[in-house]
Amino acid sequence: MKQPALSDRPKLRRPARLKYDPARETELLLLPERVVRLNPSAGAILRLCDGERSVAAIIERLERNYPGSDLKGDVLEFLATAADKGWLEPWTSVTLTP
Amino acid sequence: MVGAMDIGYPYALTAELTHRCPLRCVYCSNPLELERREAELTTDEWLDVLDQAGRLGVAQVHFTGGEPLARADLEPLIRKAREAGLFVNLITSGVGLTAKRAQQLADAGVDSVQLSVQASVPELSDFIAGTRAFERKRQAAVWIREAGIPLHMNAVLHRLNLQLVEELAEMCASWGAERLELANAQYYGWALRNRSLLLPSREELREAEEALRRAKERFGHRMELIWVIPDYHEEYPKPCMGGWGRWSMTVSPDGRVLPCTAASEIRTLQFENVKRRDLAWIWRESPSFNAFRGSDWMPEPCRSCERKELDFGGCRCQAYLLAGDAGQTDPVCHRSPHHRLVAETVSGAPKQAAGGFTWRTTGENL
């Protein structure tokens, strides 16, 4: 899948959910027949994919947490991969809005 | 045996709430000796199991049976599972569901419902299930979707319905399924008893795989299609459960904790019960869970095999049921000294003379 536009508002694909697991001290992505153990950056990005925040807002928020870093390329690439795996709803950016 | 330090956390819990079921499927993998209603764990005992599971690192619970809808306390159990942070999947025949109950399940927080179907032809579906259930399943699918629950479906495949793979996919897509698991029968319990009538020939299987390819082309964009391989026809065994005591655990209706849903048939192991031990101890310390962890237990040809970390010697239950010893290489493996037990069965299908089917008992009249 192609990368999202900065105006897209990524959202976990139903019925996927995130769970912080205190036993493993890691974020887990819960899917119908599988569980994905996420690395810290993947967990941090997916936590922000609430369907409200735009991609631009997600990047801004992450860069605030990691000052001085340019995360745009990494975040866009990760979101495209996550959508490919079916973790996120398909992008809506193909719809032309005035 | 592996040391305690090597044991990770379980990801999934299969909660077999009851063995009672309105269906009598000839392929049922429940044990031949079903648990009686009086032996079932109480609501409070299940609530405690779910609490413990969440603390132990379990992330996903599959409520199944028998027919889990037969338990009137299903909704509070779902609520508790959600409180414990678990993803909740309900595996059901759909029989006994009403529009109201579907909404109650949704309100309780069920994340997905997996509805079984036996065939795309109503009469055949009812024959396999040993009761008239097809029409109720079709109705259940509507109610599940109306309640806003993601609908997943599954069909167990065998010689009676293997020629209907594409039609099954078409039907499930038209019912609004987002996911369809096409699971070739695994031969445990009632399925093993009916094996000579259920096991397809290589040719029948090859045609089904072609039909699967067509189904993926037609419906793959809107419905995820999962194919569970028929291990008897493979050269190497399945990596059963991803390894014994590695990722998941099953609690049977009476509270015994099993590394695999079929494991209660292994008579040489003693399985611990949640009524007497806590889940964490059973997972980490119990002799049954440690019996086949790692690779130190393996005999030849597994011990020196380059695939031992890939398939873990296959299925312990199958080794027990076919070779009489749970510690043997799965006879499905072509390197197993017992492989002819499988090879002769496969090459015999479908020519073998066989008696009639044995339908599963419902468990209501045990």
Side-chain angles (χ1 to χ4, degrees):
Chain A
M1 188 175 294
K2 69 180 182 57
Q3 292 186 347
L6 288 173
S7 58
D8 279 325
R9 298 172 194 279
K11 191 181 180 198
L12 282 186
R13 187 166 176 182
R14 257 182 102 242
R17 273 196 287 121
L18 284 170
K19 174 190 199 274
Y20 179 76
D21 178 41
R24 300 176 183 82
E25 299 182 341
T26 183
E27 294 274 13
L28 301 177
L29 178 65
L30 311 184
L31 300 160
E33 292 292 329
R34 54 191 185 279
V35 178
V36 183
R37 191 170 174 159
L38 299 168
N39 64 36
S41 51
I45 298 170
L46 288 180
R47 273 283 166 200
L48 298 171
C49 294
D50 58 4
E52 304 282 325
R53 286 189 183 85
S54 66
V55 173
I58 290 170
I59 294 168
E60 191 195 314
R61 174 68 183 272
L62 290 166
E63 288 182 344
R64 227 187 305 150
N65 293 350
Y66 305 95
S69 48
D70 178 10
L71 301 176
K72 184 177 166 185
D74 290 345
V75 173
L76 289 175
E77 191 182 326
F78 171 77
L79 289 173
T81 309
D84 265 343
K85 291 177 190 279
W87 299 351
L88 297 168
E89 298 287 357
W91 315 126
T92 51
S93 61
V94 285
T95 320
L96 292 174
T97 45
Chain B
M1 193 181 289
V2 293
M5 296 303 288
D6 301 314
I7 300 167
Y9 303 97
Y11 279 91
L13 169 71
T14 298
E16 290 184 337
L17 298 181
T18 179
H19 275 160
R20 289 173 286 140
C21 186
L23 269 58
R24 304 174 56 216
C25 302
V26 290
Y27 61 75
C28 184
S29 60
N30 277 170
L32 297 175
E33 285 174 40
L34 299 169
E35 294 297 338
R36 305 168 74 92
R37 181 181 199 142
E38 308 82 76
E40 291 177 9
L41 293 184
T42 64
T43 305
D44 283 345
E45 286 167 335
W46 274 118
L47 292 173
D48 184 44
V49 166
L50 294 165
D51 248 344
Q52 290 188 51
R55 289 200 301 274
L56 185 54
V58 168
Q60 193 166 49
V61 61
H62 303 284
F63 286 118
T64 182
E67 173 50 64
L69 292 172
R71 292 276 304 214
D73 56 2
L74 183 54
E75 287 80 353
L77 299 185
I78 292 170
R79 275 201 190 85
K80 169 61 80 175
R82 287 297 304 265
E83 279 168 31
L86 309 184
F87 186 101
V88 179
N89 184 32
L90 172 67
I91 303 170
T92 178
S93 70
V95 175
L97 195 71
T98 59
K100 187 178 164 205
R101 189 103 198 253
Q103 191 56 54
Q104 287 170 348
L105 297 171
D107 294 345
V110 71
D111 287 293
S112 61
V113 170
Q114 195 181 103
L115 176 68
S116 71
V117 67
Q118 283 66 39
S120 50
V121 179
E123 295 75 16
L124 178 60
S125 187
D126 289 348
F127 175 80
I128 295 166
T131 186
R132 294 190 63 166
F134 183 85
E135 185 51 31
R136 298 169 79 178
K137 289 168 180 288
R138 196 190 56 72
Q139 183 63 64
V142 174
W143 287 328
I144 292 163
R145 294 188 59 220
E146 282 177 357
I149 305 168
L151 174 66
H152 299 162
M153 294 187 68
N154 71 70
V156 174
L157 301 177
H158 42 74
R159 231 164 83 210
L160 297 183
N161 63 6
L162 198 58
Q163 70 285 7
L164 294 171
V165 161
E166 197 174 354
E167 289 83 351
L168 267 165
E170 183 169 13
M171 184 187 80
C172 293
S174 76
W175 286 11
E178 294 169 30
R179 184 173 190 280
L180 168 61
E181 184 176 299
L182 294 161
N184 283 278
Q186 311 284 313
Y187 294 98
Y188 307 98
W190 302 84
L192 181 58
R193 174 166 285 194
N194 290 312
R195 187 178 66 182
S196 63
L197 293 160
L198 294 173
L199 192 72
S201 68
R202 289 190 187 282
E203 176 62 16
E204 286 167 320
L205 187 63
R206 201 195 53 74
E207 284 171 18
E209 285 165 349
E210 271 303 299
L212 173 73
R213 195 188 49 71
R214 293 194 300 272
K216 278 189 172 164
E217 266 172 30
R218 290 176 62 197
F219 309 109
H221 60 287
R222 57 186 165 120
M223 183 174 72
E224 190 184 357
L225 276 156
I226 314 289
W227 178 256
V228 179
I229 61 160
D231 61 341
Y232 271 51
H233 298 76
E234 296 287 312
E235 196 174 351
Y236 294 104
K238 60 194 171 195
C240 195
M241 307 306 289
W244 182 270
R246 192 146 176 254
W247 306 115
S248 66
M249 60 205 314
T250 293
V251 176
S252 70
D254 64 339
R256 278 175 303 156
V257 187
L258 313 170
C260 160
T261 52
S264 68
E265 298 199 282
I266 302 179
R267 303 292 176 191
T268 46
L269 287 178
Q270 184 91 36
F271 296 104
E272 308 288 341
N273 196 301
V274 292
K275 291 176 184 172
R276 285 178 286 282
R277 292 283 195 169
D278 65 59
L279 216 48
W281 184 90
I282 297 171
W283 174 258
R284 295 201 183 95
E285 310 288 342
S286 70
S288 56
F289 269 80
N290 282 313
F292 304 116
R293 277 187 168 134
S295 54
D296 288 354
W297 62 273
M298 287 181 182
E300 292 296 352
C302 292
R303 183 175 282 272
S304 56
C305 181
E306 74 283 3
R307 296 177 55 88
K308 69 179 174 186
E309 300 297 329
L310 295 175
D311 58 32
F312 316 104
C315 178
R316 300 302 87 231
C317 309
Q318 196 145 269
Y320 178 80
L321 291 168
L322 301 184
D325 178 356
Q328 287 289 318
T329 299
D330 186 336
V332 157
C333 183
H334 74 295
R335 293 174 182 171
S336 156
H338 300 96
H339 180 61
R340 62 167 185 79
L341 295 171
V342 171
E344 285 171 6
T345 307
V346 171
S347 59
K351 297 185 288 290
Q352 309 161 307
F357 282 108
T358 305
W359 274 270
R360 176 201 197 276
T361 49
T362 60
E364 290 291 0
N365 49 1
L366 284 171

